Amino acid sequence: MIDRNDRERRVAELLPFYVNETLSSEERAEVEALLAADVGLRAQVDLLRHIRATIKAEEMNYSPGDLGLARLMQAVEPKRRPFRLLAASVAAVSVVAGATLYLSHADRVPVYEQAGIAAAQGELFVAFRPDAPQGAISDLLLVHDLTIVDGPSALGLYRVLVPEVTSAADVIAALEEAAELVESAGAAE
Amino acid sequence: MVDQKLDTLVEAIARRDRLAFEELYRALERPLFRFVQIKLNDPFRSADIVHEVFLEVWRSAGAFQRKSSVRTWVFAIAYRKVMDVFRREGRVSYQDELPDQVDDSPDAAAALIAAENAEAVRRCLEGLKPEHRLAVELTFYEDMSYGDIALVKGVPEGTVKSRVFHAKQLLMRCLSARLTLGKK
């Protein structure tokens, strides 16, 4: 047999869920039976309604919003072949650079080893479009929490650091999506 | 958004429907961010967690078994990721060490008068420990049942009811005290 104190405690624990209207019909009936006889409990219900209304009215205005959605949609974009793009870009530039060097300095070996920007794991090589505005590039890097750690190389490549908690593949996909800014992006290996 | 609509969206996401994914994001992004932010108190990290939650939804929508509502499922993913952050960073969680001896009865009538001032309510909410605050948020912002909150947090239903009850007692005590001290 449940004594009165146990019943009061049980109903007091149900009050918040009475206010948010998620109780079963049996629980609701139990709460209402006690409420009818207890003015203190009714004051608690009024108080909980005030608290609920205050919480509902409070907004956090700095959620990721549309920026977060854009980042997310880029991340779920079907993967393309970033490295092939990068390789093609590097090859094209290299052919031109090599030919030029060969013609003017035929006795020297053309060097295009990314001019001192050897990369570590979790890093990308990124080539931005020559006409990409600096502000737009900065915004893009900030959105993905990326940091340029070296570059540009002779081939125009930047070495970009990807945060540990972020998938490099997702970042590559996102950078490729920003095709108006990024010429190529690929994992640095 | 009603649960049935969210169910439909997740079914579509399982078929790689990007528009449905976008709609689910718009429905749940703000409450999820709020939920994570209350626990982490770091808006940048919270945004990353929300991003990871939605990526997991995208990847595992096909495996969603409808043992709970979509909202409960998504919040449970968020809660696990937040707790992972706590574990990785060695942060203290109050989940298992909340005092349960605040049962003296604060004056509900005085608290009610104080609660007329929304700022006083906000101040008292901010004074709660994160686990109490989360329980109150899920109860009153998300309007979740105690059963759903138990699923989100992976604790027994009795623990949820007890935690929300104690949070309410603490809020009543805080509001009564503010009234007594004449604070806003």
Side-chain angles (χ1 to χ4, degrees):
Chain A
M1 183 174 162
I2 301 173
D3 72 23
R4 183 172 170 78
N5 285 342
D6 284 346
R7 186 160 169 247
E8 284 178 356
R9 168 62 186 246
R10 179 180 143 73
V11 167
E13 286 188 349
L14 292 178
L15 282 186
F17 304 98
Y18 174 78
V19 168
N20 78 4
E21 300 183 0
T22 58
L23 292 182
S24 67
S25 53
E26 293 82 10
E27 289 170 323
R28 190 171 181 83
E30 184 181 1
V31 170
E32 285 175 346
L34 211 58
L35 276 179
D38 190 328
V39 70
L41 275 184
R42 289 202 296 275
Q44 287 191 39
V45 167
D46 287 343
L47 173 66
L48 290 170
R49 285 184 172 137
H50 266 85
I51 292 170
R52 178 169 177 265
T54 304
I55 289 174
K56 291 253 186 217
E58 190 182 9
E59 286 295 338
M60 287 188 179
N61 294 322
Y62 45 87
S63 72
D66 286 345
L67 201 61
L69 179 61
R71 177 186 177 198
L72 195 62
M73 298 312 277
Q74 286 167 353
V76 300
E77 184 74 10
K79 303 287 184 290
R80 285 181 288 178
R81 291 156 296 173
F83 216 82
R84 199 171 294 180
L85 274 175
L86 177 67
S89 165
V90 170
V93 175
S94 300
V95 166
V96 174
T100 306
L101 283 167
Y102 180 78
L103 290 173
S104 57
H105 304 283
D107 57 330
R108 291 172 58 185
V109 178
V111 175
Y112 40 92
E113 53 185 32
Q114 282 100 44
I117 56 169
Q121 202 163 10
E123 293 178 347
L124 311 178
F125 282 138
V126 179
F128 297 101
R129 293 200 177 280
D131 56 349
Q134 188 183 347
I137 292 174
S138 296
D139 289 344
L140 182 66
L141 295 173
L142 282 172
V143 165
H144 301 292
D145 198 19
L146 303 176
T147 308
I148 292 178
V149 292
D150 205 347
S153 71
L155 300 179
L157 296 176
Y158 289 86
R159 186 158 58 90
V160 172
L161 184 64
V162 178
E164 276 185 18
V165 293
T166 306
S167 153
D170 290 342
V171 173
I172 289 169
L175 292 176
E176 285 197 291
E177 185 70 19
E180 73 284 7
L181 303 175
V182 176
E183 206 158 55
S184 63
E189 293 176 345
Chain B
M1 188 177 285
V2 295
D3 287 345
Q4 196 175 0
K5 173 67 175 171
L6 294 178
D7 271 344
T8 308
L9 290 178
V10 170
E11 281 174 16
I13 292 167
R15 298 190 301 269
R16 291 296 174 257
D17 183 331
R18 289 162 56 90
L19 285 178
F21 189 49
E22 186 174 332
E23 196 172 344
L24 187 80
Y25 175 89
R26 293 199 185 282
L28 296 182
E29 176 257 335
R30 288 177 78 91
L32 264 182
F33 177 80
R34 178 185 175 114
F35 174 71
V36 175
Q37 166 65 5
I38 282 170
K39 188 79 177 163
L40 293 184
N41 194 28
D42 177 342
F44 295 106
R45 177 64 65 85
S46 299
D48 283 344
I49 294 286
V50 169
H51 180 78
E52 289 175 22
V53 170
F54 278 104
L55 282 183
E56 186 162 333
V57 167
W58 176 259
R59 285 192 290 260
S60 56
F64 175 55
Q65 296 180 333
R66 287 166 184 72
K67 290 178 179 171
S68 67
S69 70
V70 167
R71 186 181 296 268
T72 303
W73 174 57
V74 175
F75 272 80
I77 293 171
Y79 189 73
R80 282 200 305 274
K81 290 190 178 297
V82 168
M83 297 315 290
D84 285 346
V85 170
F86 271 62
R87 274 189 287 274
R88 274 201 306 271
E89 298 182 355
R91 293 201 203 184
V92 175
S93 171
Y94 297 103
Q95 181 169 6
D96 300 319
E97 47 188 273
L98 293 172
D100 269 4
Q101 53 274 62
V102 285
D103 281 356
D104 57 322
S105 299
D107 183 349
L112 184 55
I113 294 168
E116 296 285 346
N117 182 333
E119 181 60 22
V121 176
R122 277 193 288 273
R123 293 285 175 110
C124 288
L125 283 167
E126 285 166 9
L128 293 177
K129 288 180 176 174
E131 279 301 325
H132 278 135
R133 178 79 194 271
L134 273 187
V136 170
E137 284 280 330
L138 291 176
T139 304
F140 290 138
Y141 191 75
E142 289 305 316
D143 285 334
M144 283 189 182
S145 68
Y146 58 77
D148 279 346
I149 298 174
L151 286 173
V152 166
K153 302 179 75 168
V155 297
E157 292 181 351
T159 302
V160 172
K161 284 190 279 189
S162 174
R163 191 156 295 165
V164 178
F165 172 80
H166 289 301
K168 180 201 71 181
Q169 296 293 96
L170 290 167
L171 286 171
M172 284 171 64
R173 181 184 293 174
C174 172
L175 287 164
S176 301
R178 294 186 76 84
L179 185 72
T180 306
L181 297 172
K183 289 184 179 177
K184 283 188 178 179

